[in-house]
Amino acid sequence: MLSYILRRVLAAIPVMIFVALFVFLLLRLSPGDPAAIIAGDTATPEQLEQIRERLGLNDPLLVQFADWGWRLLQGDFGESILSGTPVTSMIADRMEPTISLALTTIVLSIVIAVPLGVIAAWKHGTIIDRVVMAISVLGFSVPVFVIAYVLIQVFAINLKWLPVQGFTSIFDDPGTFAQRITLPTLTLTSLYIALIARITRTSMLETLGEDFVRTARAKGLAERRVLMKHALRNSAVPIVTVIGIGFALIISGVVVTESVFNLPGIGRLTVDAVLARDYPVIQGVILLASLLYVGINLLIDIAYVILDPRIRYA
C-alpha cells in the first residue's frame, strides 16, 4: 500500500507541472492587459510600460514561467497584481465559506441520497422507484441558479425565514451560520442528491442480483440486514467514488452559488480575479483545485481497500 501511495504521489508531479504550464500559457496568451487594468483608462503609454516592467510582463514567457515555477517550489504563489496581497493569504481568507458550504452540502446529500437510492433499487419498477428517478432527473435538468432564485423567493422573500446573502463563521455565531448557509446548501444539495441517488440505485441493482444476496435471503436474514450489510456494503465503491469527486467539484465549482448568495469564498475570488486579469490569483486557485482533485482521488483509492478487502494494490 505504501509503495502504491508513493507511486501515485510521484505520478501526480508531471500532472501538476502540465496543469501549471497550461494555466500559465492560457492566461498569458489570452487577450487583455493587466497593466491597463491597474493603471486605469487615463494612463499614458509610459506608465503602462513601467507597470509591465515592474510586473515582469515584458520578460520572455520562458523566463516568466521559470521564475513563477521556482517561487512555487518555495511555497510562494506570488502576490495579487491589484492589491499586492500574497495569494496564499487571499486563498486562506476565502477557504472557510467554501469548505463550510462543501461540507454541509455533501453531508446532507449523503444523508438523503443514499437511502433514496437504496429504496429505489429495493422497490425497482414501482412508483417509489419512478418518483426517485424523477427527482434525480429534475435535479440534473434545472440550472443551479434557477433553484437558488426559487429558494430565495420562497424562503427569504415570501416566508422571510432565512437571510439571502452573507456569511458568518460557525466559530463566531453557530446560529447565524446555520441561517446563512442553509439556502446555499439546499441549492447545491439538489444537484448532488440527484447524482448520488442515481449512482447508488444503479450500483445497488447490480449487487442485489448477485448470488451472495440471494443466499443471504435464503438463510432467512431480515431484508433490512440484507440491504444494508450485504448489498450496500458491496455497492460502496462506486458510491464513494462519486461522493469524493462530488466533494472536489463542490469546492472548485461553487462560482454560481457563491455569486448568487454573496458568499466570500473561493468562487467569488476566482470571478473577481478573472475580471481583473489578476494572473497570480487565478493561477493559485486553479493549482489548488488541481491538487485537491489529485489528493481526493488518492484518498478514494485508499478507501477502496477498506470497503472491499478483495482489492489489493501491489
Side-chain angles (χ1 to χ4, degrees):
M1 174 63 75
L2 291 178
S3 62
Y4 171 77
I5 295 175
L6 181 60
R7 290 199 305 270
R8 284 295 304 271
V9 172
L10 293 177
I13 295 176
V15 173
M16 296 302 300
I17 293 175
F18 176 80
V19 170
L21 179 61
F22 177 78
V23 172
F24 178 85
L25 293 177
L26 180 65
L27 293 176
R28 291 303 195 281
L29 299 179
S30 58
D33 187 0
I37 297 175
I38 295 174
D41 298 333
T42 60
T44 63
E46 291 77 13
Q47 291 174 327
L48 292 177
E49 187 63 26
Q50 290 176 359
I51 294 175
R52 293 192 190 99
E53 188 66 30
R54 176 170 57 86
L55 298 176
L57 299 177
N58 288 333
D59 296 334
L61 288 178
L62 184 60
V63 174
Q64 293 184 47
F65 180 74
D67 179 64
W68 178 60
W70 175 249
R71 286 189 281 111
L72 282 180
L73 293 176
Q74 298 174 330
D76 181 9
F77 280 63
E79 297 180 349
S80 169
I81 291 177
L82 296 180
S83 65
T85 306
V87 173
T88 51
S89 299
M90 296 179 68
I91 293 177
D93 292 340
R94 300 293 190 100
M95 283 298 292
E96 184 181 357
T98 299
I99 291 179
S100 299
L101 179 57
L103 288 176
T104 53
T105 297
I106 207 68
V107 169
L108 184 60
S109 299
I110 293 171
V111 169
I112 297 176
V114 173
L116 281 179
V118 172
I119 294 172
W122 180 38
K123 299 294 185 180
H124 175 59
T126 66
I127 186 65
I128 296 176
D129 182 25
R130 294 190 180 94
V131 169
V132 173
M133 288 302 96
I135 294 174
S136 298
V137 172
L138 186 64
F140 272 114
S141 303
V142 181
V144 172
F145 69 89
V146 173
I147 298 174
Y149 286 127
V150 169
L151 292 176
I152 289 173
Q153 180 67 40
V154 174
F155 293 102
I157 298 176
N158 295 343
L159 299 177
K160 302 185 186 305
W161 287 355
L162 298 169
V164 177
Q165 298 180 337
F167 176 81
T168 300
S169 173
I170 190 173
F171 304 106
D172 296 334
D173 189 341
T176 304
F177 165 81
Q179 290 180 341
R180 295 188 179 278
I181 206 68
T182 297
L183 288 182
T185 298
L186 292 177
T187 299
L188 283 178
T189 298
S190 63
L191 172 63
Y192 288 97
I193 283 178
L195 176 63
I196 297 173
R198 288 181 68 90
I199 296 298
T200 302
R201 174 183 177 273
T202 302
S203 182
M204 283 287 294
L205 282 176
E206 294 178 359
T207 306
L208 288 174
E210 297 289 342
D211 291 339
F212 66 85
V213 174
R214 288 193 289 268
T215 301
R217 284 172 171 164
K219 290 181 178 180
L221 296 180
E223 189 66 15
R224 179 179 178 183
R225 186 176 181 183
V226 172
L227 289 173
M228 302 306 294
K229 184 176 180 179
H230 295 275
L232 182 58
R233 182 176 181 180
N234 286 277
S235 304
V237 169
I239 298 173
V240 169
T241 301
V242 76
I243 289 174
I245 295 175
F247 184 75
L249 287 173
I250 292 173
I251 292 183
S252 60
V254 293
V255 174
V256 174
T257 304
E258 289 186 355
S259 298
V260 171
F261 293 99
N262 195 27
L263 297 177
I266 298 297
R268 284 289 303 280
L269 177 64
T270 305
V271 172
D272 295 340
V274 169
L275 293 176
R277 304 284 300 176
D278 200 338
Y279 293 147
V281 177
I282 301 173
Q283 292 166 341
V285 171
I286 295 178
L287 286 176
L288 176 65
S290 302
L291 185 61
L292 180 67
Y293 273 107
V294 172
I296 287 182
N297 281 325
L298 178 59
L299 292 177
I300 290 174
D301 288 344
I302 296 174
Y304 289 166
V305 179
I306 299 174
L307 295 171
D308 191 345
R310 294 171 298 181
I311 299 176
R312 287 289 181 268
Y313 297 121

